[in-house]
Amino acid sequence: MSVEGKKQVFICAGTGCVSSGADKVVKKLEEEVKRQNLEDKIQLIPTGCRGFCEQGPTLVVEPSKKFYRQVQPEDIPEIVEKELGKGESIEKFFYVDPNTDQIVNSYEDICFFSKQTRISLHNCGFIDPTKIEDYLERGGYEGLKKALSMDPEKIIEEVKSSGLRGRGGAGFSTGLKWSLCKATPSDKKYVICNADEGDPGAFMDRGLLEGDPHSIIEGMLIGAYAIGADEGYVYVRAEYPLAIENLQIAIKQAEEKNLLGKNILGSDFSFKLHISAGAGAFVCGEETALMASIEGERGMPRVRPPFPAQKGLWGKPTNINNVETWSNIPHILRNGAEWYAQYGTEKSKGTKIFALTGKVNNTGLVEVPMGMTLREIIFEIGGGIQGGNKFKDVQIGGPSGGCLPEEMLDLAVDYETLTEAGAMVGSGGLVIMDETTCMVDIAKFFVNFSQAESCGKCTPCREGNKRMWEMLERITKGEGELEDLDKLEQLALTIKETSLCGLGQNAPNPVLATLKYFRDEFVEHIEDKKCRAGACQDLLTYRIDPDKCKRCSICARNCPVNCITGDKNTPYVIDEEACIKCGACMERCKFDAVLLV
Amino acid sequence: MCEECRELVDPKEVKLEEVFAKYKNSKGALIPILQEAQEIYGYLPEHVLKLISQATRLPVAKIYGVATFYAQFRLTPIGRNVISMCLGTACHVRGGAKVLEAIEKEAQVKDGQTSEDGRFTLEIVNCIGACGLAPVISINSNVHGKLVAEQIPEILAQYE
């Protein structure tokens, strides 16, 4: 990977940056480097996701660590000439700290990166994920080599004492899970990587699979060896084509190097790894549904026990872990349990990747030690709220999680603390919301998601979520009654207690959390028929401020139901009865004269 | 096979037979077979489900059950371009609804439908994992991010 005396340019080519134009940037870079005769001095390395999606496409120049952001193909000639040719910095491409307005040129000095501790993401953005040599050069497969020289029981002990817990959401001890599967006698066992990342707002598994697929393979190999499995599956959602492609390449390379297949590295251990592409069902993230899906069935969960560790895929003992969990394993083996356990809190060890999205300045993937406060993540790493707006709440853990208001921002992020507060670590999606977000609308949004994704097997989830959605729909239309709130709460608790799987058991969480922290907004919708965020269309009235109206008539001309009247001499007026609240007038008005009240 | 008969063979069916051969002895191959069949035909026509049934020895009812369970499978033909509008949390919060409106207006389609000229199929999806660039759409797997409604006509114009 590194070549003496050459300048290296790392170009983020993850899904996020590619959609911002990174593939064109790569092509242009190749052309320009050639045209300016710099081929001997420059090495171009397209990488997986470096995490800073908001600023994409991004370039990192090593060894100077300069970070160029929002680079477009037309900027390339200048960058190649000045930065790569003469070593001159071009300030306009550097990151500007939104809080201090300071220009920062090295990525090591950007808060977004400097506050992170990257273990799982160690290689993401620093290697070409399609080259096994890059992975090997950064210590790849050392963990496997060490594991193969160890007694399987010792490996499980090591993972147990590292304190690693399932990163898919539930937070079950990984070492314990492995030991349960190991303890079940069987002629055949499986390990599975759950990459059915369905939580809207979470994309760490995609980032890892695209940016560092070998770390997942290595983690699974170590797990399989410890448990006694000889076959495995990575269940990836079909929506992640680049992740599947990079994983396919990685598997092929590992097979060629005898890191997968028969008698791996000369040992007695053999392991075959398959990719199983999901077909679009959120519920398949639940482990028993996921296995049904690999078996070619409808992805519906079943009652546990028996747990997969006893009876899993095709009736055989199976161990399922999430992508991020697997990616931690090689590091634990390589550096030891003690090293891993130095990060995090007493009960939640290590680091966790969060997907920072929504109304925050620095969106992207960040990895931090467990126990960091939400405030640090959102305001220091995330750089605060977009457009200088006021923070309202953060939704943690997707449709199974909850939202937390400003006063909870100093909570330390770990499994127990967040669950106690009514949210959950979940898969690690952090969606930041500001005052323009309506909490009733958000509760409705999540319930709508869960009711649509319910597999329909058990009644509480299938019917209950639908009824909750109907109640919330009535409230957002101004047709709700105060009793609805108690009914909602009661129904939510019933669904939680009686549903078959995690989807149903957690689906009411967003409703319960919003009712707990934002009850006044619900009451406002019901009693005052008002939505303070201006998100619930039916509760809004459009009015024209006569003092601001310049009588240009653009609103009247764009009104689809012709309910705005006025002329050159009189300010325009909206007929509230006839108005369908489409907002076209407000969008078109150049003088901000149309108001929502 | 004589020249005349060769012309009667449906090339798509030949490809489908290859898929059957590939998965002949694999366990749980129904979903990959459906995925590859859809790749060949663009959707899953009834006669294809029957062919799959014959090849896999599974009842058509079961195959239909699996095909209708997963969002990826389509039982009706699709347009030349498939627009996936993401309305996951981040896209919802960052104004995805406005982008959707613009698409519906510009392409003259609603969720799950195909435009009359067969140019666009629109589907609303929950998350395509590009949340950092919300709101996003993906057209034929090309992701377009940080959208505002005004950009839609220009973007759609790139897809004939």
Side-chain angles (χ1 to χ4, degrees), chain A residues 105-162:
Chain A
N105 65 16
S106 159
Y107 69 85
E108 283 189 343
D109 298 327
I110 298 175
C111 270
F112 182 83
F113 292 110
S114 63
K115 296 261 172 185
Q116 293 191 45
T117 305
R118 291 162 78 106
I119 297 175
S120 276
L121 293 175
H122 173 69
N123 288 327
C124 284
F126 294 90
I127 62 168
D128 180 342
T130 62
K131 295 207 170 106
I132 193 171
E133 294 75 20
D134 282 19
Y135 182 68
L136 291 170
E137 195 173 306
R138 283 172 69 93
Y141 289 106
E142 290 301 323
L144 173 70
K145 281 178 201 157
K146 194 166 166 198
L148 289 177
S149 69
M150 286 165 75
D151 180 44
E153 292 285 355
K154 275 260 155 55
I155 299 174
I156 294 181
E157 274 315 307
E158 190 81 5
V159 175
K160 261 190 203 167
S161 58
S162 74

Side-chain angles (χ1 to χ4, degrees), chain B residues 53-105:
Chain B
S53 162
Q54 282 162 16
T56 56
R57 296 173 175 262
L58 294 168
V60 181
K62 185 185 160 131
I63 295 170
Y64 181 78
V66 171
T68 49
F69 184 84
Y70 295 97
Q72 191 190 7
F73 300 123
R74 304 187 191 92
L75 300 176
T76 48
I78 47 159
R80 295 192 295 281
N81 304 292
V82 180
I83 310 173
S84 303
M85 172 75 223
C86 182
L87 282 186
T89 324
C91 293
H92 177 78
V93 171
R94 280 207 190 176
K98 285 243 150 50
V99 176
L100 174 65
E101 240 172 68
I103 294 173
E104 287 177 340
K105 203 169 142 205

Side-chain angles (χ1 to χ4, degrees), chain A residues 227-264:
Chain A
I227 292 161
D230 64 355
E231 206 170 341
Y233 286 85
V234 183
Y235 185 90
V236 197
R237 49 194 308 242
E239 289 90 335
Y240 289 176
L242 183 59
I244 294 178
E245 193 186 314
N246 284 359
L247 191 60
Q248 274 167 342
I249 296 171
I251 288 177
K252 198 162 164 276
Q253 292 170 338
E255 280 170 349
E256 284 163 7
K257 289 215 182 288
N258 188 225
L259 292 158
L260 275 174
K262 290 218 157 66
N263 300 101
I264 291 167

Side-chain angles (χ1 to χ4, degrees), chain A residues 269-542:
Chain A
F269 171 57
S270 300
F271 186 69
K272 175 124 190 77
L273 187 58
H274 311 269
I275 299 177
S276 184
F282 176 67
V283 70
C284 287
E286 200 276 345
E287 54 184 17
T288 59
L290 185 150
M291 291 186 302
S293 183
I294 295 181
E295 291 172 6
E297 307 283 333
R298 287 164 71 94
M300 289 162 113
R302 60 159 175 80
V303 179
R304 294 177 303 176
F307 287 94
Q310 289 123 21
K311 246 181 154 180
L313 192 63
W314 285 300
K316 301 293 181 190
T318 303
N319 180 75
I320 304 187
N321 286 124
N322 159 270
V323 175
E324 193 185 336
T325 315
W326 286 121
S327 74
N328 274 300
I329 299 294
H331 298 281
I332 292 173
L333 263 285
R334 213 184 302 159
N335 302 314
E338 218 170 284
W339 164 84
Y340 190 79
Q342 71 174 307
Y343 301 104
T345 63
E346 198 198 330
K347 285 188 178 161
S348 304
K349 297 290 183 202
T351 54
K352 173 80 192 95
I353 309 178
F354 290 98
L356 210 47
T357 65
K359 302 283 182 70
V360 66
N361 275 319
N362 299 337
T363 59
L365 282 185
V366 302
E367 182 173 355
V368 298
M370 288 276 191
M372 189 179 260
T373 66
L374 286 166
R375 194 181 295 280
E376 283 172 279
I377 299 175
I378 298 166
F379 287 90
E380 292 182 26
I381 295 176
I385 309 302
Q386 268 187 341
N389 282 353
K390 201 174 166 304
F391 171 87
K392 184 168 187 178
D393 84 298
V394 50
Q395 168 74 27
I396 310 176
S400 312
C403 43
L404 298 174
E406 167 104 49
E407 55 267 32
M408 308 297 273
L409 280 185
D410 292 310
L411 282 186
V413 176
D414 69 21
Y415 291 101
E416 278 74 22
T417 318
L418 285 188
T419 309
E420 219 169 277
M424 69 193 282
V425 173
S427 55
L430 290 182
V431 187
I432 316 301
M433 303 180 191
D434 64 8
E435 311 137 296
T436 62
T437 319
C438 165
M439 296 320 292
V440 187
D441 177 62
I442 284 297
K444 187 175 85 173
F445 169 81
F446 282 117
V447 172
N448 185 35
F449 176 87
S450 299
Q451 64 93 18
E453 291 295 338
S454 169
C455 78
K457 186 170 181 174
C458 72
T459 319
C461 175
R462 183 185 66 236
E463 298 297 327
N465 280 313
K466 189 129 200 138
R467 299 290 93 82
M468 278 208 294
W469 179 81
E470 287 166 359
M471 275 194 247
L472 290 163
E473 171 80 354
R474 279 205 300 275
I475 296 174
T476 54
K477 287 197 147 151
E479 295 159 6
E481 287 163 22
L482 272 183
E483 298 137 47
D484 284 343
L485 298 186
D486 296 330
K487 280 191 208 155
L488 255 181
E489 215 153 16
Q490 205 185 353
L491 181 56
L493 291 170
T494 311
I495 298 171
K496 249 182 114 62
E497 273 172 33
T498 54
S499 288
L500 174 63
C501 81
L503 194 163
Q505 286 158 13
N506 293 312
N509 287 353
V511 175
L512 289 168
T514 39
L515 273 173
K516 183 171 168 191
Y517 295 115
F518 299 95
R519 202 182 180 93
D520 51 332
E521 268 189 53
F522 283 80
V523 175
E524 233 171 61
H525 278 72
I526 295 169
E527 290 201 319
D528 309 337
K529 314 279 178 223
K530 219 181 126 198
C531 172
R532 66 171 88 162
C536 299
Q537 293 246 328
D538 292 295
L539 301 184
L540 305 177
T541 317
Y542 286 88

